[in-house]
Structures are given as C-alpha cells and as structure tokens.
Amino acid sequence: MKKLFAFFFVLAALTGCTKAEADLTGKNYKLVDADSKVEITLGFAKDENRYYGKAVNNYFGTYKVQGAEISFSPAGSTMMAAPEDMMMAEAAYFQFLPQVQVFKLEGKLLTLTAENGETMVFEETAAPAEE
C-alpha cells in the first residue's frame, strides 16, 4: 500500500510540474501594477522556452520552468528612447526579470516573485503576434 501511495504522490508531483509549464506556454500577459505610463507586456512562445514582450522597447529572452520555479535570461531589446520615467520603469523591469525565482498562476493572474521578495502581477490578455 505504501508503494502505491508513493507512486501516486510522485505522479501527482510530476503532473503538477508539467501543468504549470503548459499553463504559461503560448500565453500573453500585461503588467497590472505598473508605477509609470509605460505598458509592459510579457508573452511565452508556444514552441520553445522563449519569452518576449514590449515595454518602451520590444524585448526577448529565454526562460526555464521547474514546478513553481522559473528563471529568465537577461532580456535583449531594441534601443528606442522615451521619457525618463518610462525608461527607468523599463530598466527596473529588465533588472527584475533575471531575479525572478517563482511564479504563481491564479485564474488569469500571473505573479512573479524575485529572490528579494519583490513581486510583479500580470493579467492574461489576448495573444498579439509574437515579437
């Protein structure tokens, strides 16, 4: 009986990891708790572990998911200019992404939490064309 319980526990844990990753794949989000006038989006490619979006600039990178843990590579981006407050918001966001350690999905809300406890909350949106 203990072996059967252990088997179902491991199976449930593995299914949870796969489901979490599948829930991000192909989805697009918009930052809901932004401090500035810049609209920040975050999308996850359907066919590979690539993320993309738009702040002041279009940006892109890779990500990795294991269960509720997520890691983002530093973002590459275009080099457009904007008012200083928007540029500062984008720079803070680009610094935040590589520090993210965990994510949580609740309905259409995606919460990213960095190693220092800072969080950003995104809401799922309709899918734009991938950047």
Side-chain angles (χ1 to χ4, degrees), residues 24 64-72 96-105 110-120 122:
L24 290 176
K64 187 182 299 184
V65 171
Q66 282 190 295
E69 295 180 4
I70 189 168
S71 60
F72 292 91
F96 170 79
L97 279 178
Q99 296 178 24
V100 171
Q101 292 184 323
V102 295
F103 74 98
K104 182 166 66 169
L105 285 169
L110 167 65
T111 303
L112 301 178
T113 304
E115 57 194 35
N116 64 2
E118 181 183 358
T119 63
M120 288 192 178
F122 295 79

Side-chain angles (χ1 to χ4, degrees), residues 33-123:
D33 57 354
D35 295 352
S36 69
K37 296 177 267 183
V38 65
E39 182 176 296
I40 297 175
T41 65
L42 172 63
F44 298 90
K46 291 179 184 177
D47 300 330
E48 56 190 344
N49 286 349
R50 186 174 57 83
Y51 71 90
Y52 56 89
K54 182 165 177 42
V56 171
N57 291 282
N58 292 327
Y59 68 91
F60 53 89
T62 59
Y63 72 98
K64 187 182 299 184
V65 171
Q66 282 190 295
E69 295 180 4
I70 189 168
S71 60
F72 292 91
S73 69
S77 73
T78 57
M79 300 294 287
M80 304 284 289
E84 185 177 350
D85 62 333
M86 294 173 73
M87 295 302 296
M88 289 176 58
E90 179 184 73
Y93 175 66
F94 286 168
Q95 290 176 354
F96 170 79
L97 279 178
Q99 296 178 24
V100 171
Q101 292 184 323
V102 295
F103 74 98
K104 182 166 66 169
L105 285 169
E106 293 179 303
K108 294 200 176 276
L109 294 180
L110 167 65
T111 303
L112 301 178
T113 304
E115 57 194 35
N116 64 2
E118 181 183 358
T119 63
M120 288 192 178
V121 178
F122 295 79
E123 184 171 22

